[in-house]
Amino acid sequence: ISSSEGIGSLIGASMGFFTITCDYIGFGVSNEPHPYMHAGSLVPSVIDFIRASKTFACEKKLALDGNVFLTGYSEGGYVSLAVQKEIEENHSEEIILKGVAPMAGPYDFSTMITDVFASGEYPLSSYFAYFFNAYDDIYDWNKLDYFFREPYNSMIPGLFNGSKTWGEVVNQLPAPVSEVFREAFIQDYLEGSVPYLGSAIDENTLLDWKPESPIHFIHGDADQLVPFYHAQNAMDAFSNAGATQLMLTAIPGGTHETAGPEALVTALAWIQEIQNSLSLSAKITVCPKTQKLTAAVS
């Protein structure tokens, strides 16, 4: 409850929403490494939790109207959009999605990784190390010695196995990406000579579909960790695909660290506005059958 996620959930609940906050694989009590920014591994946590919450509400005789909204910040913003894609493509009859408010998420991996590797400029290499370590594990590449300079190639798995706090991870890795990643690997990637990596990045970049449910992107325009262009590129891609229910709110001067509170207030106000405009559907009276979506994590 003392976490930002818990506080956001409490605020949502105080507004009258039945609110759930997902615990991803590798977080909380878990023996699995966290599959950082991997849609196929993270989406099932949310879908399964939505199903479980419906069953819980039914068993406790809590009347729900069936409308579902999604929001999340940073990785949570990315996962919200990935879950929307999964619901609209495979579960639209089961889950009635009415609005999605992704906040400060990295939706355009391909552009971001290319830009950072080409410029060598990024505030914290730890985020990139987290990403590449997770993907190496998920896709079973065994390429850490190729990706990372010594001694980080041997250090990094231990940094991201759940035994360290984020502060400890940051303190043990130099900030510049060029000091953590091998120059030869960066050059190979920029030249298109690492096809398996490019394929995985494309697979998890969320710009190649047409969303149907309303989306309200919220992003600090001074975000140095997840640049504002992620939201703008997603808006442009979805608009070009024919999506029409799109909004983008820029938080002036908002960085990744400071934009969170205003982003959450904006998201919840938008969700409340949509909910107020909807006529109440039939209350849930029958507990849903138990289903489970299997995560694609090694």
Side-chain angles (χ1 to χ4, degrees):
I1 292 177
S2 62
S3 68
S4 58
E5 293 83 2
I7 292 171
S9 297
L10 286 175
I11 296 172
S14 73
M15 296 169 65
F17 292 98
F18 183 83
T19 309
I20 63 175
T21 303
C22 297
D23 183 9
Y24 301 143
I25 294 170
F27 288 174
V29 179
S30 177
N31 293 322
E32 295 283 348
H34 176 58
Y36 184 59
M37 303 306 302
H38 183 254
S41 302
L42 294 167
V43 165
S45 300
V46 182
I47 301 290
D48 288 345
F49 203 14
I50 291 173
R51 289 170 172 162
S53 71
K54 288 183 178 181
T55 300
F56 174 85
C58 185
E59 292 174 350
K60 297 298 181 181
K61 296 181 171 55
L62 302 175
L64 304 179
D65 64 14
N67 298 327
V68 174
F69 299 90
L70 301 171
T71 190
Y73 195 86
S74 193
E75 183 179 27
Y78 169 82
V79 175
S80 295
L81 202 59
V83 170
Q84 177 180 1
K85 185 174 187 287
E86 173 67 22
I87 289 173
E88 291 184 354
E89 292 180 350
N90 299 302
H91 309 284
S92 59
E93 294 185 3
E94 175 191 358
I95 299 174
I96 305 170
L97 189 59
K98 292 297 184 180
V100 182
M103 303 178 289
Y107 321 112
D108 188 353
F109 287 166
S110 182
T111 296
M112 184 174 185
I113 292 174
T114 298
D115 283 356
V116 170
F117 279 170
S119 68
E121 297 178 1
Y122 192 73
L124 284 177
S125 67
S126 46
Y127 281 105
F128 267 56
Y130 202 0
F131 176 89
F132 279 91
N133 180 69
Y135 273 49
D136 186 76
D137 178 65
I138 292 164
Y139 291 100
D140 198 26
W141 291 330
N142 195 28
K143 294 289 187 178
L144 295 187
D145 290 342
Y146 171 51
F147 296 154
F148 299 112
R149 295 177 180 270
E150 297 180 352
Y152 309 113
N153 53 345
S154 58
M155 289 173 53
I156 279 172
L159 294 180
F160 296 106
N161 65 5
S163 64
K164 302 287 190 300
T165 66
W166 183 246
E168 289 173 328
V169 172
V170 170
N171 288 336
Q172 293 188 49
L173 293 175
V177 168
S178 60
E179 293 184 21
V180 176
F181 287 86
R182 292 188 180 276
E183 183 178 353
F185 160 62
I186 292 175
Q187 191 60 38
D188 286 347
Y189 177 79
L190 293 175
E191 293 174 355
S193 301
V194 194
Y196 57 88
L197 177 55
S199 176
I201 291 170
D202 289 343
E203 177 185 316
N204 290 279
T205 295
L206 301 176
L207 304 181
D208 60 346
W209 57 296
K210 177 187 173 183
E212 299 296 334
S213 303
I215 302 177
H216 186 174
F217 290 102
I218 307 165
H219 215 115
D221 64 8
D223 195 322
Q224 74 283 32
L225 295 177
V226 183
F228 183 76
Y229 66 70
H230 282 278
Q232 188 61 66
N233 289 358
M235 283 281 292
D236 293 344
F238 294 157
S239 179
N240 290 337
T244 57
Q245 300 186 83
L246 303 172
M247 290 179 61
L248 170 56
T249 294
I251 298 176
T255 68
H256 204 67
E257 295 83 3
T258 65
E262 184 173 346
L264 178 62
V265 169
T266 303
L268 292 177
W270 178 73
I271 289 170
Q272 183 72 75
E273 181 180 349
I274 294 177
Q275 178 65 12
N276 290 343
S277 71
L278 298 172
S279 60
L280 295 179
S281 57
K283 301 296 184 181
I284 294 174
T285 57
V286 179
C287 292
K289 294 181 180 180
T290 301
Q291 302 179 65
K292 189 172 183 180
L293 194 63
T294 303
V297 62
S298 60

